[in-house]
Amino acid sequence: MTSMRIGIKLSPQHTTLDELRAVWQLADDAGFDSCWTFDHFASIGSDDPSGDVFEGWSHLAAMAEGTSQVRVGCMVTGNTYRHPAVLAKMATTVDHISNGRLEFGLGAAWAEVEHTMLGVEFGTVRDRLDRLEEACQVITSLWTQPRTTFAGRHYQLVDALANPKPVQSPHPPLWIGGTGRTRTLRITAQYANAWNAGGGSPAQIAELSAVLDQHCADV
């Protein structure tokens, strides 16, 4: 029987680092299984994106250092914001800081305003999903292989080194977030260890889960 694990997700926006530290420490002391941040450069959840928001991965590194038991992660990282080789190195660093407690969340990204204001290519949904699939291949290869050469449409690596490897073997659990039935859930089945549905009614989640089960069977 699979046991239920209980985690909490915090939004590092409209708050202070002292408040965030206090809640992460509470989660660690209280025995929660996991604690998560998010990855955004403008505040979300309202029509005004100008509120204070902290960067996800540097915040995650600090929280990893400030805890000792709870598993830590970013739910989810916007793949378009960083080259996957850079992200793989960042994630490995957090896995070492946390002594192997990292859960690695990745998604195709959706917040167009963040791309527009930073001059980051947003592209079509297909573009972002193509990037996500290539990133999954690049990151897992860098985590597990001595050197990586990759010739994709969006990313190209030549004999790339990525040392040290993560603490966790073969690598930190990879979570993919999203609900697209055709591509996102297929990529999840192909590359991920876990799926983040990101909300919905029990009936909706059950239906999506059945789609994911079929993709898993297919691959």
Side-chain angles (χ1 to χ4, degrees):
M1 179 180 293
T2 301
S3 61
M4 180 178 290
R5 293 180 291 174
I6 306 297
I8 59 174
K9 179 180 177 180
L10 306 174
S11 299
Q13 63 178 16
H14 311 305
T15 186
T16 67
L17 286 175
D18 285 342
E19 290 175 331
L20 289 166
R21 286 190 190 99
V23 179
W24 281 73
Q25 189 61 63
L26 179 63
D28 198 45
D29 293 342
F32 281 89
D33 293 295
S34 59
C35 195
W36 306 79
T37 187
F38 73 21
D39 186 35
H40 286 284
F41 294 97
S43 59
I44 62 172
S46 73
D47 293 332
D48 180 10
S50 64
D52 291 349
V53 57
F54 293 104
E55 192 278 323
W57 275 90
S58 50
H59 169 237
L60 185 62
M63 297 303 101
E65 180 67 22
T67 55
S68 61
Q69 302 177 80
V70 68
R71 294 189 65 81
V72 301
C74 184
M75 187 64 77
V76 293
T77 307
N79 177 61
T80 53
Y81 300 140
R82 306 166 187 86
H83 191 285
V86 175
L87 182 58
K89 177 65 74 172
M90 293 166 62
T92 295
T93 301
V94 173
D95 200 42
H96 280 262
I97 291 171
S98 66
N99 294 314
R101 291 182 286 123
L102 177 67
E103 302 279 332
F104 182 73
L106 190 63
W110 58 268
E112 186 171 4
V113 64
E114 297 175 335
H115 296 73
T116 301
M117 73 180 192
L118 297 175
V120 176
E121 182 182 354
F122 189 57
T124 64
V125 172
R126 179 177 178 176
D127 290 334
R128 296 196 300 281
L129 289 169
D130 287 347
R131 287 179 182 272
L132 176 63
E133 183 160 14
E134 287 189 17
C136 290
Q137 297 172 66
V138 167
I139 291 168
T140 54
S141 179
L142 288 168
W143 279 342
T144 59
Q145 302 303 313
R147 294 175 184 261
T148 293
T149 294
F150 184 84
R153 176 186 172 197
H154 298 284
Y155 307 114
Q156 298 82 40
L157 286 76
V158 179
D159 213 19
L161 296 165
N163 296 318
K165 300 306 181 189
V167 174
Q168 299 179 81
S169 181
H171 55 72
L174 170 56
W175 295 62
I176 290 180
T179 56
R181 290 162 172 77
T182 302
R183 286 292 308 280
T184 304
L185 294 183
R186 178 76 177 199
I187 293 169
T188 302
Q190 184 76 46
Y191 301 103
N193 303 101
W195 169 54
N196 172 46
S201 69
Q204 290 170 324
I205 300 304
E207 189 269 330
L208 289 168
S209 184
V211 173
L212 177 59
D213 286 345
Q214 185 58 58
H215 283 307
C216 289
D218 290 343
V219 301

